[in-house]
């Protein structure tokens, strides 16, 4: 009997030990991290000989894509890629609300379930430091892997630089590895309903004061002029990082304001400077007096559709958000939407923040050569020209496409589009300070904006935000 | 009996029956049998405890996407959590939400069950309809309500317009956002409480109610002194489930308000999700979940003990 008890105890002890072994070993293996990919040279060096589109024939590239008109144009042209290279493309498309969670979880798992994916330049700051993104620099500079017609110099330089970073928090963009390639982008401008402006005798705002005034005037007067329920200006307001980067950050930058200051590598929050507090207070006032009802839930989808549905007199957001409503037959307001660079800063600045849909490669991909050929094709002149002219892939990342006669001809009916694009293109860049806590900082910033909109003091809310962020980013 | 059992164990019974001689089960196999029998239970327990233990283990490190080779930091993550004002805000919002939702659902659920207990045709039809919200995923329900609560195009404000209440910004204020979230929770889960309460009502003994009727007891007296005490164990089961679920709410609030405006509806689950998934501070996010687990565990333990006492007391009522 005693022996049996002894056996049971031993059995349970052994079972417990066996269960605990992997748990304890998790510590030693660096939490499932894969050391094999670190410190090695680029796989681009394995590609030698003359460049040939067919070198990876028979391979399959797996892509993760966000649901977007740019994606639609890409998918519509995939047969051309397969015909040119013999490479098959399999893809999954997710809506934007879930897309980045899906991508983040997938990349952090260390699997190579997707070889290439869409990402914004801001995501480089999050995905780059853990080593999830392939540095495309060696691929771009290897003439065996990259065809001469790809023409790196044809990209708008600010766009290429936006995806280039040294992975050091606070360090400027345009230095270090090329962690993604610009594929489609958006500049943030004001789009307005010409019909309403004409009826109310308004002109596009040249200053922020004018923008606030016009927003309030539209909300007050438009319903009486036959536009029931119309408000002044559509801007994003959901509790998300995406609320900060379009109109808000553009106007903030035109006022010469900074999110953080960097001094000797130390990052300090600057959104509570007296000037930033005053600006933020004014922005919240503008929304209260001329913004959308239920602003705190507003994403670009609502802003865009309100402009199209004649619910908003203006939109201060991505030019593409207005474009998708402005094209013929797309919405009740199509044909009546015009574009304007938006208010200038006090010194006449048209500094503009941007969003870039980029394409990146998974550092864990087992299929890098084929993936690179795909990236090269998707960001190449031939596909991008076709996507811009036949699809809705507007705001070209390549100078040659933006100057193409067929492209200009296609856009000519959209009042002010080309002029606005050409006015702001050189002054549009990432206005944020690159750092890994970007998403935390901007999500908290959006929450602060909501609190100020709700009536709290801008000074105390922004001081609280700065105090909260200082230890995280410093 | 003892002998027969012993013989069967050794195969002796088969000999007596004239059949082919059964092979004696070797001693080592008989010794091993109890251990084999507990293997499924061990696997199940391991399957539950291993991920939990691993999660707990990670909370003692500063594991994040930016630091895939983390250092051990001991209880630092917990110290940070308890010293952050955002945690206490989230804890307060979580408690408000859970208490509010569970309380309203209980009162409404029991009320609906009492109405449906009278087996009329309308009651039977309503009973079928009652279960519909439970068949809808909470996140879908939240999106549906988000559209209905939309101030300018939502149907709720449209219906309220004749009463001069057409411009309510339902989710734009902290109180409005929290109340709207609770309202969606109530819409989805009140039927759950009602169904449990209805099942309880139908299983109650008839004789005490007949006796009360003979004695001329009124409806309120009967409800207070008979129905409610006997029904209470069933209601408490519903309360435990709803309270536990409400403490862990994510989908309804995230789909409706994303935690806003400001931090007014950032419950602990949303805070943990943001930390672990959005901001990729894995250890810190898991630490939030462990704290939430501890709270849910303690609250549930207290409620379950109370349920036991109530059940014992209720069992004595019909005597």
């Amino acid at each position: 009997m005693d022996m049996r008890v002894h056996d049971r105890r031993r059995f349970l002890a052994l079972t417990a030990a066996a269960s605990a072994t992997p748990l304890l070993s998790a510590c030693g293996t660096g939490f499932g991290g894969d050391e094999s990919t670190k410190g090695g040279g680029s796989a681009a060096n394995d590609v030698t000989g003359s460049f040939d589109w067919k070198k990876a024939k028979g391979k399959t590239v797996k892509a993760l894509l966000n649901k977007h008109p740019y994606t639609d144009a890409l998918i519509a042209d995939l047969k051309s890629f397969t015909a040119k290279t013999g490479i098959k493309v399999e893809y999954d498309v997710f809506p934007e609300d879930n897309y980045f969670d899906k991508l983040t979880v997938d990349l952090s798992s260390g699997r190579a379930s997707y070889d290439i994916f869409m990402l914004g330049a801001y995501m480089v700051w999050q995905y780059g430091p853990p080593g999830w993104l392939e540095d495309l620099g060696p691929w771009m500079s290897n003439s065996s892997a990259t065809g001469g017609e790809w023409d790196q110099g044809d990209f708008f330089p600010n766009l290429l630089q936006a995806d280039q970073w040294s992975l050091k928090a606070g360090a400027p963009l345009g230095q270090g590895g090329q962690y993604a390639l610009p594929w489609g982008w958006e500049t943030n401008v004001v789009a307005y309903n010409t019909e309403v402006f004409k009826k109310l005798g308004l002109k596009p705002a040249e200053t922020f004061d004018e923008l606030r005034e016009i927003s309030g005037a539209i909300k007050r007067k438009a319903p009486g002029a036959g536009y029931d329920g119309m408000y002044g200006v559509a801007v994003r307001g959901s509790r998300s990082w995406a609320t900060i980067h379009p109109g808000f950050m553009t106007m903030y930058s035109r006022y010469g304001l900074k999110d953080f200051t960097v001094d000797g590598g130390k990052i300090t929050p600057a959104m509570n400077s007296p000037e930033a507090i005053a600006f933020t207070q004014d922005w919240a006032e503008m929304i209260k007096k001329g913004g959308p009802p239920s602003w705190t839930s507003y994403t670009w989808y609502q802003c865009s559709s309100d402009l199209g549905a004649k619910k908003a007199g203006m939109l201060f957001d991505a030019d593409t958000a207005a474009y998708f409503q402005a094209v013929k037959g797309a919405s009740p307001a199509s044909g009546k939407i015009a574009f304007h660079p938006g208010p200038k800063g006090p010194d006449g600045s048209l500094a503009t923040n941007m969003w870039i849909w980029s394409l990146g490669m998974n550092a864990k991909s087992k299929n890098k050569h084929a993936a690179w050929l795909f990236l090269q094709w998707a960001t190449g002149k031939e596909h991008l020209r076709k996507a811009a002219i036949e699809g809705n892939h507007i705001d070209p990342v390549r100078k040659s496409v933006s100057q193409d006669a067929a492209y200009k001809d296609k856009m000519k009916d959209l009042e002010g589009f080309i002029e606005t694009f050409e006015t702001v293109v050189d002054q549009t860049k990432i206005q944020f300070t690159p750092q890994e806590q970007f998403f935390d900082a901007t999500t908290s910033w959006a929450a602060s904006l909501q609190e100020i909109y709700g009536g709290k003091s801008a000074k105390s809310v922004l001081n609280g935000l700065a105090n909260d962020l200082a230890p995280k980013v410093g | 009996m003892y002998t027969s059992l012993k013989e069967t164990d050794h195969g002796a019974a088969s000999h007596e029956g004239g059949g082919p001689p059964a092979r004696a089960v070797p001693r080592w196999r008989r010794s091993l049998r109890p251990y084999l029998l507990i293997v499924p239970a061990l696997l199940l327990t391991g399957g539950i405890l291993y991920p939990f233990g691993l999660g707990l283990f990670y909370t003692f490190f500063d594991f994040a996407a930016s630091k895939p080779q983390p250092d051990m930091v001991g209880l630092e993550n917990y110290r940070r959590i308890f010293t952050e004002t955002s945690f206490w805000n989230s804890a307060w919002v979580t408690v408000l939400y859970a208490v509010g939702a569970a309380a309203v659902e209980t009162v409404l659920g029991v009320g609906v069950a009492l109405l449906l207990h009278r087996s009329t045709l309308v009651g039977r039809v309503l009973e079928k309809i009652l279960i519909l919200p439970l068949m809808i995923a909470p996140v879908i329900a939240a999106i549906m309500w988000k559209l209905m609560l939309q101030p300018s195009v939502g149907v709720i404000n449209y219906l309220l317009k004749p009463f001069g209440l057409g411009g309510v910004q339902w989710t734009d204020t902290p109180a409005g956002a929290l109340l709207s979230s609770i309202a969606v929770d109530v819409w989805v889960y009140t039927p759950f409480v009602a169904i449990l309460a209805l099942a309880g009502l139908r299983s109650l003994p008839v004789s005490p109610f007949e006796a009360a009727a003979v004695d001329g007891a009124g409806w309120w007296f009967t409800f207070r002194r008979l129905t409610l005490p006997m029904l209470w164990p069933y209601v408490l089961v519903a309360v435990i489930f709803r309270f536990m679920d409400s403490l862990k709410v994510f989908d309804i609030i995230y789909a409706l308000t994303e935690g806003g405006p400001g931090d007014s509806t950032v419950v602990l689950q949303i805070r943990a999700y943001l930390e672990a998934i959005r901001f990729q501070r894995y250890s810190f996010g898991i630490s939030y979940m462990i704290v939430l687990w501890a709270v849910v565990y303690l609250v549930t333990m207290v409620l379950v003990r109370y349920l036991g006492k109530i059940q014992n007391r209720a069992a004595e009522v019909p005597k």
Side-chain angles (χ1 to χ4, degrees):
Chain A
M1 186 69 185
D2 284 342
M3 187 63 186
R4 276 172 174 248
V5 171
H6 180 63
D7 280 348
R8 191 179 298 120
R9 281 181 183 156
R10 274 188 62 198
F11 177 76
L12 289 172
L14 284 169
T15 311
S19 305
T21 305
L23 178 74
L24 296 172
S25 66
C27 181
T29 58
F31 294 78
D34 180 5
E35 293 299 294
S36 63
T37 55
K38 288 187 179 172
S42 170
N45 300 333
D46 300 339
V47 185
T48 53
S50 57
F51 173 75
D52 182 3
W53 281 107
K54 298 276 187 190
K55 258 185 188 169
K57 189 179 173 185
K59 300 268 185 188
T60 299
V61 169
K62 192 92 197 282
L64 182 63
L65 304 169
N66 172 58
K67 178 72 190 147
H68 194 279
Y70 290 1
T71 306
D72 297 340
L74 179 89
I75 291 169
D77 199 23
L78 277 180
K79 279 181 187 163
S80 311
F81 171 71
T82 303
K84 190 176 186 121
T85 61
I87 298 168
K88 205 176 140 197
V89 181
E90 289 175 359
Y91 57 85
D92 290 327
V93 182
F94 281 82
E96 198 164 323
D97 279 356
N98 316 109
Y99 177 79
F100 286 112
D101 284 349
K102 164 87 179 154
L103 179 60
T104 306
V105 170
D106 201 76
L107 288 174
S108 64
S109 73
R111 290 175 298 154
S113 32
Y114 294 101
D115 301 299
I116 67 117
F117 41 81
M118 284 165 70
L119 73 165
Y122 310 137
M123 279 73 191
V124 169
W125 310 343
Q126 191 181 22
Y127 302 157
W132 300 342
L133 300 177
E134 175 80 359
D135 180 4
L136 303 174
W139 292 93
M140 290 157 68
S141 57
N142 181 354
S143 58
S144 300
T146 307
E149 79 270 22
W150 188 63
D151 191 4
Q152 186 177 322
D154 188 36
F155 286 99
F156 285 108
N158 45 348
L159 302 184
L160 208 52
Q161 285 164 8
D163 287 324
Q164 212 178 2
W165 193 38
S166 64
L167 306 183
K168 290 193 182 87
L173 300 173
Q175 298 167 6
Q178 184 76 43
Y179 290 102
L181 291 177
W183 171 60
W185 70 297
E186 296 161 0
T187 183
N188 292 295
V189 297
V190 170
Y192 61 99
N193 185 313
T194 52
E195 199 178 61
V196 179
F197 268 56
K198 201 173 171 186
K199 266 197 178 176
L200 299 181
L202 301 170
K203 280 185 179 172
E206 294 295 337
T207 66
F208 186 40
D209 286 344
E210 282 178 22
L211 183 75
R212 283 155 45 213
E213 206 177 301
I214 293 171
S215 303
I218 293 173
K219 195 167 186 172
R220 286 193 311 274
K221 296 175 184 171
Y227 299 93
D228 191 29
M230 181 180 268
Y231 61 88
V233 62
V235 287
R236 302 185 205 189
S238 72
R239 192 185 177 281
S240 158
W241 60 272
T243 284
I244 299 299
H245 79 83
F248 178 81
M249 192 62 187
T250 295
M251 202 63 241
Y252 188 85
S253 303
R254 289 178 182 183
Y255 263 72
L257 301 167
K258 299 284 173 201
D259 55 348
F260 296 96
T261 54
V262 185
D263 188 14
K266 186 174 164 55
I267 304 174
T268 310
M271 58 282 280
N272 62 335
S273 70
E275 296 80 10
I277 290 169
F279 170 80
T280 310
Q281 182 69 56
D282 287 346
W283 185 266
E285 285 299 321
M286 176 184 80
I287 298 160
K288 268 195 222 175
K289 288 181 181 163
S294 202
W295 169 76
T296 55
S297 66
Y298 259 54
T299 65
W300 79 268
Y301 295 113
Q302 281 90 34
C303 292
S304 172
S305 61
D306 277 6
L307 182 75
K310 297 186 182 178
K311 288 261 167 220
M314 293 183 285
L315 169 81
F316 196 173
D317 203 281
D319 56 352
T320 52
Y323 167 83
F324 299 136
Q325 302 294 333
V327 287
K328 200 175 174 185
S331 73
S334 62
K336 300 175 186 90
I337 293 175
F339 295 80
H340 183 267
K344 296 183 181 71
D347 61 352
S349 166
L350 273 178
T352 303
N353 193 49
M354 68 174 159
W355 168 260
I356 308 180
W357 274 118
S358 308
L359 292 174
M361 190 196 297
N362 192 337
K364 299 275 166 43
S365 168
K366 304 276 185 285
N367 214 3
K368 289 185 180 174
H369 189 200
W372 171 246
L373 289 170
F374 178 83
L375 293 183
Q376 207 180 141
W377 170 82
T379 58
K381 289 178 189 173
E382 194 180 330
H383 165 68
L384 288 179
R385 183 180 180 276
K386 192 173 177 185
I389 295 164
E390 293 176 19
N392 279 325
H393 196 132
I394 55 152
D395 275 12
V397 295
R398 286 182 167 274
K399 288 182 252 180
S400 61
V401 180
S402 76
Q403 294 305 316
D404 192 283
Y407 168 75
K408 286 197 169 183
D409 188 54
K410 177 185 175 176
M411 307 303 280
K412 74 175 189 306
D413 294 335
L414 296 173
E415 189 181 332
F417 185 92
I418 294 283
E419 295 82 350
T420 299
F421 180 84
E422 288 178 350
T423 303
V424 298
V425 63
D426 292 330
Q427 299 172 74
T428 305
K429 62 174 189 140
I430 302 273
Q431 304 287 352
F432 291 100
T433 306
Q435 44 95 17
E436 289 164 44
Q437 305 305 325
F438 169 80
F439 293 101
D440 186 2
T442 42
T443 303
S444 305
W445 204 350
S448 299
L449 207 51
Q450 290 184 336
E451 288 180 356
I452 296 163
Y453 169 79
K456 285 193 180 173
S457 144
K459 190 178 177 182
S460 69
V461 169
L462 291 172
N463 279 335
L465 173 69
N467 287 338
D468 182 39
L469 292 177
K472 291 180 183 172
V473 296
Chain B
M1 184 68 185
Y2 173 74
T3 310
S4 164
L5 188 66
K6 205 171 178 184
E7 281 174 352
T8 304
D9 264 4
H10 291 270
S14 300
H15 277 295
E16 286 169 9
R23 281 175 59 197
V25 178
R27 188 180 171 80
W28 67 269
R29 273 179 63 183
R30 275 186 288 122
S31 307
L32 197 61
R33 194 179 293 161
Y35 299 118
L36 287 174
L37 288 173
I38 64 163
V39 165
L42 273 176
L43 285 175
L44 194 66
T45 311
I48 294 167
L49 288 183
Y50 181 76
F52 183 84
L54 201 61
L56 188 66
F57 177 71
Y58 282 169
T59 66
F60 302 120
F61 292 80
D62 60 351
F63 183 30
S66 57
K67 205 162 183 198
Q69 298 297 320
D71 302 318
M72 188 175 237
V73 293
L75 295 171
E76 174 59 19
N77 285 322
Y78 295 102
R79 189 199 64 76
R80 261 186 67 196
I81 284 177
F82 289 116
T83 52
E84 278 188 356
T85 49
S86 52
F87 165 77
W88 294 107
N89 172 65
S90 290
W92 175 237
V93 174
T94 308
V95 169
L96 275 182
Y97 184 91
V99 171
V104 176
E105 283 159 20
T106 305
V107 172
L108 283 181
V110 171
V112 169
L114 287 168
L115 287 173
L116 293 179
H117 188 43
R118 300 171 183 203
S119 188
T120 59
L121 179 65
V122 178
R124 285 198 295 275
V125 172
L126 285 177
E127 203 180 312
K128 305 288 180 292
I129 294 171
L130 190 68
I131 205 162
L132 284 179
L134 281 174
M135 294 173 174
I136 296 171
V139 69
I140 302 296
I143 292 167
M144 194 175 78
W145 275 94
K146 188 176 181 168
L147 294 174
M148 295 202 300
L149 292 170
Q150 217 280 334
S152 52
V153 295
V155 70
I156 305 287
N157 274 5
Y158 176 77
L159 293 173
L160 289 174
K161 214 171 182 176
F163 306 100
L165 295 166
V168 183
Q169 309 254 330
W170 293 99
T171 54
D172 265 11
T173 61
L178 186 63
L179 289 174
S180 300
S181 306
I182 291 174
V184 177
D185 199 298
V186 166
W187 184 81
V188 176
Y189 291 111
T190 295
F192 171 77
V193 181
I195 286 164
L196 278 186
L198 194 60
L201 278 173
R202 287 180 180 161
S203 68
L204 296 184
V206 182
S207 50
F209 294 95
E210 287 174 345
V214 168
D215 289 346
W219 178 86
W220 176 241
F221 183 86
T222 311
F223 174 72
R224 206 159 45 91
R225 292 300 175 93
L226 281 180
T227 314
L228 202 57
M230 287 196 286
L231 190 63
W232 195 233
Y234 299 93
V235 174
L236 202 59
V237 168
V239 170
I240 290 171
F241 276 109
R242 287 311 311 135
F243 198 66
M244 270 166 56
D245 276 353
S246 303
L247 283 172
K248 297 183 294 177
V249 68
F250 176 84
D251 39 16
I252 287 176
I253 293 184
Y254 199 75
L256 197 69
T257 68
E258 269 186 85
D263 280 354
S264 61
T265 53
V266 178
V267 288
L268 287 168
Q269 284 268 46
I270 291 180
R271 182 78 61 191
Y273 161 78
L274 290 174
E275 290 292 344
I277 306 292
R278 280 281 161 92
F279 311 147
Q280 298 178 5
R281 295 190 282 251
Y282 309 128
S283 288
F284 198 55
I286 298 168
S287 304
Y288 258 101
M289 292 319 303
I290 294 291
V291 170
L292 178 60
W293 169 81
V295 171
V296 174
Y297 183 81
L298 287 172
V299 169
T300 310
M301 210 167 66
V302 171
L303 284 174
V304 168
R305 279 196 181 169
Y306 180 59
L307 173 68
K309 283 181 189 171
I310 291 290
Q311 278 174 329
N312 291 338
R313 204 181 307 157
E316 292 165 10
V317 172
K319 285 177 186 172

